[in-house]
Amino acid sequence: MNASGLGTMAVIGNGVIGHGIAEVFAKAGWDVCLIGRSQDSLKGALQQIGASLNEFVQAELLSTSSAKSAAARIRTSTELQAAAAAEFVIEAVPEDMELKLDIFSKLDGICRSDALLATSSGHPASCVDKCVEHRERVIAAHFWYPPQLLPLVEVCGSGATTKAVVVRTCAILGGIGMKPVVIDCEVPGFIGNRIQFAALREAWALWAAGVASAEAIDSVIRYSIGRRLAVTGPIESADLGGLDTMYHFARFLLPSLDTSSEPPEQVAALVRGRHCGVPSGKGVYDWFERDGSGLLSARRRELMRWLQMDQKGRDPDKAPTPVPQISASGTKPRGSDEDRLD
Ligand SMILES: NC(=O)c1ccc[n+]([C@@H]2O[C@H](COP(=O)([O-])OP(=O)(O)OC[C@H]3O[C@@H](n4cnc5c(N)ncnc54)[C@H](O)[C@@H]3O)[C@@H](O)[C@H]2O)c1
Ligand SMILES: O=C(O)[C@@H](O)[C@@H](O)[C@H](O)[C@@H](O)CO
C-alpha cells in the first residue's frame, strides 16, 4: 500500500487509452507504472497526462496540489517486468492479437499470484487468455475513449474467470470513481460497441445510399436521441415513450433496417485511400474544410461538464432529477389512462 492507503497498478501500453487509464488511477491515489515501448513515447504520454490534469484543475474538478500528487504517482518503464509489484494490471496495446497473447502469457509469469490481469480492449477475456496458465484471473475491463472523461467500464469475465475476480475488479474500478457495469456472458463488442456499431451501420448505410448528407444524419441524432440517451438508455426510453407504440413501430421498421455484415463500399474505399478521418484530414467529412480540433475540444468541454454534474451528485443514477409535479398542462408519465388521447 502507498501513502494514500491504495495499491499499485500497471498499464501496458501508453497510447490514448493507456495513458488515460494511468491518469484516472493516479488521480484516485494509486501508484501507477505506465509501461511502453520507448522512453520518447512514454515522455509524450506523461506530457499528455500533464495537459489533461491541467484541464481538470481549470474545470475545478481537481486541486492543483492533487494534480501534482497524481503526476508524481506515475512512473514509467519500457520493461514488462516492471509490472511485477502491481495488484491490478491493464493491457492497452494495439489491436494485434499475437501481441496481446504474448503479453498476457508473460504477465502471468511476471505478476504476483494475487494480481488481476485485465484487457482494456473490445475483445473478450477468452480471446487474450489462451496462453495463460492462471486464466481465472484474466478479465475484460473495456474502457471508453477518452477514459479520463467517460466513466463507464464494461467488466466481463470469461468462463474461466472466478466470480471473486469480477467482484474485485468492480470494487477497484468503483473505488477510483469509474462506473463498472458487469456483463454476465461474453459477447463480441460487449454492450456499448454492439449498440454503437448497430447505429453506425445504419448511419453509414443511409449516407452511402444517398438518403441524406452526413451533416443531416449527424444533426438528426445530435438534436434528438443523442441528447435523450445521455439521460435515459434505449430500453428506458422505449418504456417512457410507450412500449406498445415502440413495439408496433418496431414491427413496421425492423425489416427495412440495414443488416449488412460488411461496412459499405464507400467507407471501405475511403479507408483504402487512407482517408481515415480527422488525423488524415479527410474521412466521410472533409476535415480541411471543417475544424476537427475545435470539434474535439468542444466535445471534451461538454464531457467535462458532465463530470462536473456527476461530482455535484447530478448523475441520474446517483440522485435522480426530481420529476416535475403533474400539472394541468400534463407532465404525467405516459401510459396512464388519462394520458391517452384516443
Ligand atoms: N481508441 C479507442 O477508442 C479505444 C477505446 C476502448 C478500448 N480501446 C482498446 O485499447 C487498446 C489500445 O488502444 P489505443 O487506441 O490506446 O491504441 P494506441 O495505438 O493509441 O496505443 C497503443 C500503445 O501501446 C504501445 N505498445 C505497443 N506495443 C507495446 C508493447 N509490446 N509493450 C508496451 N507498449 C506497447 C504503443 O507504443 C502505443 O503507445 C486496444 O486494445 C483498443 O481496442 C481503444
Ligand atoms: O470509445 C469507443 O468508441 C471504443 O469503445 C471503441 O473505439 C472500441 O472499443 C474499439 O477501440 C475496440 O476496442
Side-chain angles (χ1 to χ4, degrees):
M1 271 190 200
N2 65 13
S4 319
L6 292 167
T8 297
M9 64 88 61
V11 189
I12 322 299
N14 54 319
V16 290
I17 294 298
H19 84 254
I21 294 174
E23 178 187 327
V24 172
F25 272 87
K27 272 197 299 229
W30 283 66
D31 283 340
V32 174
C33 178
L34 181 58
I35 300 174
R37 276 183 305 187
S38 75
Q39 291 296 352
D40 272 358
S41 81
L42 285 165
K43 203 170 144 202
L46 290 181
Q47 279 163 356
Q48 283 172 312
I49 291 171
S52 171
L53 288 170
N54 277 340
E55 278 182 22
F56 274 78
V57 171
Q58 276 156 26
E60 296 179 3
L61 283 163
L62 198 66
S63 69
T64 310
S65 66
S66 301
K68 273 193 188 146
S69 319
R73 275 187 213 108
I74 304 175
R75 70 188 173 93
T76 60
S77 175
T78 53
E79 301 298 325
L80 208 52
Q81 193 65 40
E87 64 188 73
F88 192 57
V89 181
I90 302 190
E91 164 277 314
V93 299
E95 283 292 344
D96 169 346
M97 199 40 78
E98 253 181 61
L99 175 62
K100 287 185 191 284
L101 287 172
D102 181 52
I103 284 179
F104 273 94
S105 131
K106 287 181 176 149
L107 285 174
D108 196 31
I110 289 170
C111 294
R112 310 166 14 170
S113 59
D114 62 345
L116 306 188
L117 308 181
T119 175
S120 67
S121 105
H123 281 92
S126 60
C127 291
V128 299
D129 73 357
K130 294 188 188 345
C131 310
V132 170
E133 191 188 338
H134 303 290
R135 291 168 60 223
E136 68 284 353
R137 60 169 163 166
V138 180
I139 190 159
H142 179 239
F143 284 71
W144 284 73
Y145 168 69
Q148 306 91 315
L149 296 175
L150 287 176
L152 177 71
V153 187
E154 292 172 291
V155 175
C156 185
S158 73
T161 315
T162 60
K163 177 101 174 92
V165 166
V166 177
V167 170
R168 201 165 138 228
T169 302
C170 289
I172 291 173
L173 293 168
I176 62 162
M178 299 300 283
K179 198 166 199 38
V181 172
V182 175
I183 293 159
D184 298 323
C185 182
E186 283 194 334
V187 54
F190 305 123
I191 294 171
N193 272 324
R194 290 184 82 84
I195 294 178
Q196 167 167 243
F197 278 82
L200 183 57
R201 173 166 66 184
E202 188 60 36
W204 275 343
L206 292 168
W207 167 74
V211 171
S213 65
E215 286 88 349
I217 295 165
D218 281 342
S219 292
V220 165
I221 299 305
R222 287 171 59 199
Y223 294 108
S224 64
I225 55 174
R227 289 193 180 187
R228 206 164 61 191
L229 284 173
V231 188
T232 52
I235 297 176
E236 282 173 330
S237 295
D239 269 6
L240 289 179
L243 193 56
D244 51 348
T245 305
M246 298 304 263
Y247 168 78
H248 291 301
F249 199 68
R251 293 199 68 209
F252 157 73
L253 187 64
L254 295 191
S256 75
L257 295 184
D258 190 55
T259 56
S260 321
S261 53
E262 284 287 331
E265 171 49 29
Q266 288 93 323
V267 173
L270 284 168
V271 175
R272 277 198 303 274
R274 299 183 185 229
H275 300 305
C276 296
V278 174
S280 49
K282 186 172 157 46
V284 171
Y285 288 106
D286 183 344
W287 294 101
F288 292 109
E289 297 280 315
R290 300 175 111 231
D291 179 8
S293 57
L295 190 58
L296 269 171
S297 305
R299 187 170 76 170
R300 280 185 77 84
R301 274 198 304 278
E302 188 57 16
L303 295 177
M304 195 70 89
R305 201 174 64 79
W306 274 92
L307 283 189
Q308 288 167 331
M309 290 196 291
D310 291 351
Q311 210 171 68
K312 286 185 189 138
R314 286 176 59 199
D315 179 337
D317 280 0
K318 280 194 216 145
T321 310
V323 178
Q325 290 295 310
I326 296 169
S327 70
S329 56
T331 45
K332 223 174 306 184
R334 268 213 53 176
S336 66
D337 282 347
E338 296 152 63
D339 194 49
R340 301 210 175 247
L341 299 176
D342 47 9

